[in-house]
Amino acid sequence: MDNQTLTVLITVPLIVVVLAMIWLGWRNRLRRQADVERLPGVPEQLTPATVVADGQYVATTTAGDWLDRIAVQGLGIRTNAELSIHAEGVLFDRSGAGPVFIPRAALVDSRESNGMAGKFVEKDGLLVINWKLGDRELDTGFRSRHSADKQLLLDALQELISAAPQADADSGK
């Protein structure tokens, strides 16, 4: 047997084992996160968006743990998206995945970050939205295609968060 054949006989099973381990890990993460509440639906009527930006939906993670990706309901899938901010809340219209709508009352905070869940960018290159889904507090990352959009999004989010009635925000509605 020549060296090339031996290399293939070792490499192919090794790749298969690694892929199987990744699949098992993702499946176990889905099982552990089965108690995550269903995402709120997108309202049939949304007011016109105050800000719209194209970019990349990075992921949703457990708040404060930028590595604990939420895998259920497609929240862990990185995809291109359009982020729009409405009086009712925030909408991520994702390509190849379902939309994610965060009601205004569920918003907690927004900030800039250098990275999360395997996506790292320049200093403060990501917009991170902190919000509540039932009893869970989550962080959702978005990378705007144009850097000027990030500050517009942050300003609009802070305005939306400060306008949310405190009683609604506390109840997570």
Side-chain angles (χ1 to χ4, degrees):
M1 205 178 310
D2 64 359
N3 280 344
Q4 191 173 17
T5 305
L6 185 60
T7 301
V8 169
L9 288 175
I10 292 171
T11 305
V12 170
L14 186 61
I15 291 171
V16 169
V17 167
V18 168
L19 291 174
M21 290 174 67
I22 290 170
W23 178 79
L24 284 171
W26 193 257
R27 190 185 73 179
N28 288 338
R29 179 177 295 271
L30 289 170
R31 191 175 306 138
R32 283 192 315 270
Q33 296 174 348
D35 64 335
V36 173
E37 287 193 28
R38 299 290 312 156
L39 289 171
V42 179
E44 289 184 29
Q45 293 291 330
L46 286 173
T47 57
T50 56
V51 180
V52 177
D54 285 327
Q56 184 178 58
Y57 170 91
V58 174
T60 295
T61 64
T62 299
D65 187 352
W66 56 274
L67 288 175
D68 187 22
R69 186 186 305 252
I70 302 296
V72 296
Q73 303 179 61
L75 291 173
I77 298 171
R78 183 175 302 148
T79 181
N80 288 331
E82 179 183 84
L83 172 57
S84 56
I85 300 175
H86 306 265
E88 297 82 7
V90 177
L91 176 62
F92 292 92
D93 189 9
R94 304 183 304 163
S95 301
V100 175
F101 179 73
I102 304 171
R104 179 184 69 182
L107 295 168
V108 175
D109 197 12
S110 63
R111 66 183 185 281
E112 296 170 298
S113 180
N114 300 341
M116 69 185 307
K119 175 75 172 180
F120 297 94
V121 296
E122 76 278 359
K123 183 177 183 332
D124 297 335
L126 281 183
L127 168 67
V128 177
I129 299 172
N130 180 250
W131 59 290
K132 286 189 165 236
L133 180 61
D135 293 335
R136 277 185 200 260
E137 198 165 326
L138 305 172
D139 286 335
T140 297
F142 181 77
R143 166 94 166 145
S144 59
R145 184 157 283 119
H146 306 287
S147 59
D149 290 341
K150 186 173 44 107
Q151 191 58 50
L152 295 172
L153 291 167
L154 273 170
D155 292 344
L157 280 164
Q158 286 304 323
E159 186 175 321
L160 190 62
I161 291 166
S162 65
Q166 192 59 41
D168 284 351
D170 289 343
S171 67
K173 289 184 181 175

